[in-house]
Amino acid sequence: MSVVDVPETAPGPGQVQINVAFTGICGTDLHILHGDMDRRVAMPAVLGHEMSGTVAQLGEGVDGWRPGEPVTVLPVLPCGTCVTCAAGHGHVCPRLTFIGIDSAGSMQQRWNVPAGALVRLPDTLDLAHGALAEPTAVAVHDVRRSGLTADEHAVVVGGGPVGLLIAVVARRTGARVLVLEPSPQRRAVADRLGFTTADPTTADTTALIGDWTGGEGAAVCFEVSGAAAGVATAVQALAPRGRLVMVAIHAAPREVDLHRFFWRELTMLGARLYSRPDMATAVELVADGHIPAAQLITHVEPLARVGEAFAALESGAGVMKVLLDCGSAR
């Protein structure tokens, strides 16, 4: 990875230029770095889609915005014409363009995006916290997709940033939440947030979840670890008619105990992205303080240290959410 100077480009018709304040690094960015998404990402690439900033300039034909307004971006651009879009599922459109993967992302100081992708942030919101709106939208969508209801037991396998955001949103539904995470530093964060936690590499998770659920098993498991062992743990934890929500990107195929799916009539649900209503809910949760942003953001690095920021996230040592300061924070 490298940081280079390029000529600034004015926003084109229908575009808005953003002064980028903060950009979060997520698991998808790590997958891109390791070549898992080479079929989609053309080099050289500018990554980044978890962001906050302020409006800098308006391109021709854009109204409804003014310079200085705080914003984030909904990076999901569906085609709008296919059967999937017509059914209201544009976030999984077969011809979807995702800003920051299929086109240049927010790891830059000035960023031109389609005006329709902008999402307004409250004026009072700390822009560093505003960068958590996009990953929170992931969590909102995942919990909605699960159908989780009050008093159900939910297990989150993987207590990284997205896993803990899912846990927070799941708890707000009234569900009982258990977080399984091998990292003691990440478990400590979950403990401070008031969650029941366990280390799946040392605990007898089958017995633990049996005791926790009164022998019933969990109604929902969110697989957020991206590991084969995480998949096996999640499937084993589910009660009859339980729902497995696949959140993590698994770069390689995994073995799944299909006999258990048959025997317990389990359901597996994919949960890929999110919709604009999910993002709207996420902004509200962050702005109202329901998302513990200050506890989740553990590292902020200047854009010039992007390589070190990626290395810190990948190390996992005492790291939760890593933000890049792109230089335009108020």
Side-chain angles (χ1 to χ4, degrees), residues 77-130:
L77 300 179
C79 75
T81 60
C82 68
V83 172
T84 303
C85 288
H89 308 309
H91 63 288
V92 286
C93 166
R95 295 188 286 274
L96 175 77
T97 295
F98 192 90
I99 306 174
I101 297 177
D102 303 306
S103 61
S106 59
M107 292 183 188
Q108 53 184 314
Q109 293 174 310
R110 306 285 184 273
W111 190 31
N112 297 330
V113 300
L118 292 190
V119 176
R120 188 171 274 106
L121 296 176
D123 289 335
T124 55
L125 181 62
D126 184 322
L127 285 177
H129 295 180

Side-chain angles (χ1 to χ4, degrees), residues 170-232:
R171 185 167 59 185
R172 284 189 54 77
T173 70
R176 306 171 193 183
V177 182
L178 168 68
V179 178
L180 300 179
E181 170 55 49
S183 164
Q185 294 92 348
R186 288 182 167 183
R187 279 201 315 279
V189 176
D191 289 336
R192 289 195 295 272
L193 296 178
F195 291 106
T196 302
T197 65
D199 181 352
T201 65
T202 59
D204 182 342
T205 55
T206 300
L208 172 68
I209 292 168
D211 290 343
W212 180 59
T213 62
E216 297 293 332
V220 176
C221 284
F222 298 92
E223 205 307 287
V224 201
S225 72
V231 176

Side-chain angles (χ1 to χ4, degrees), residues 15-316:
Q15 290 187 325
V16 172
Q17 185 179 82
I18 300 173
N19 288 324
V20 181
F22 296 96
T23 295
I25 306 173
C26 81
T28 302
D29 297 318
L30 289 177
H31 279 287
I32 293 170
L33 180 64
H34 291 301
D36 296 331
M37 303 180 74
D38 280 356
R39 61 185 176 83
R40 289 178 61 186
V41 180
M43 296 300 175
V46 181
L47 306 185
H49 55 274
E50 302 179 0
M51 61 77 61
S52 63
T54 56
V55 173
Q57 297 184 57
L58 306 181
E60 182 183 346
V62 176
D63 54 22
W65 298 96
R66 66 179 188 278
E69 285 189 289
V71 294
T72 187
V73 162
L74 182 75
V76 179
L77 300 179
C79 75
T81 60
C82 68
V83 172
T84 303
C85 288
H89 308 309
H91 63 288
V92 286
C93 166
R95 295 188 286 274
L96 175 77
T97 295
F98 192 90
I99 306 174
I101 297 177
D102 303 306
S103 61
S106 59
M107 292 183 188
Q108 53 184 314
Q109 293 174 310
R110 306 285 184 273
W111 190 31
N112 297 330
V113 300
L118 292 190
V119 176
R120 188 171 274 106
L121 296 176
D123 289 335
T124 55
L125 181 62
D126 184 322
L127 285 177
H129 295 180
L132 267 61
E134 192 274 350
T136 301
V138 171
V140 170
H141 180 78
D142 295 345
V143 174
R144 283 180 175 166
R145 184 95 168 97
S146 75
L148 187 66
T149 60
D151 293 326
E152 286 191 312
H153 289 84
V155 175
V156 179
V157 183
V162 171
L164 287 188
L165 287 170
I166 289 172
V168 169
V169 175
R171 185 167 59 185
R172 284 189 54 77
T173 70
R176 306 171 193 183
V177 182
L178 168 68
V179 178
L180 300 179
E181 170 55 49
S183 164
Q185 294 92 348
R186 288 182 167 183
R187 279 201 315 279
V189 176
D191 289 336
R192 289 195 295 272
L193 296 178
F195 291 106
T196 302
T197 65
D199 181 352
T201 65
T202 59
D204 182 342
T205 55
T206 300
L208 172 68
I209 292 168
D211 290 343
W212 180 59
T213 62
E216 297 293 332
V220 176
C221 284
F222 298 92
E223 205 307 287
V224 201
S225 72
V231 176
T233 297
V235 172
Q236 187 68 31
L238 286 169
R241 286 293 182 99
R243 291 97 72 192
L244 171 61
V245 183
M246 298 300 297
V247 179
I249 296 175
H250 287 262
R254 303 297 190 196
E255 288 189 8
V256 179
D257 186 351
L258 294 181
H259 182 270
R260 194 167 182 86
F261 269 80
F262 152 75
W263 197 253
R264 293 202 162 199
E265 292 196 352
L266 305 179
T267 299
M268 183 187 296
L269 300 163
R272 179 179 167 191
L273 291 170
Y274 38 77
S275 64
R276 185 167 283 273
D278 294 326
M279 179 67 87
T281 298
V283 170
E284 290 177 5
L285 291 174
V286 175
D288 292 345
H290 297 302
I291 300 302
Q295 296 184 66
L296 294 177
I297 299 169
T298 56
H299 290 65
V300 179
E301 294 280 3
L303 183 60
R305 286 177 52 83
V306 61
E308 290 84 352
F310 268 76
L313 179 62
E314 193 151 33
S315 74

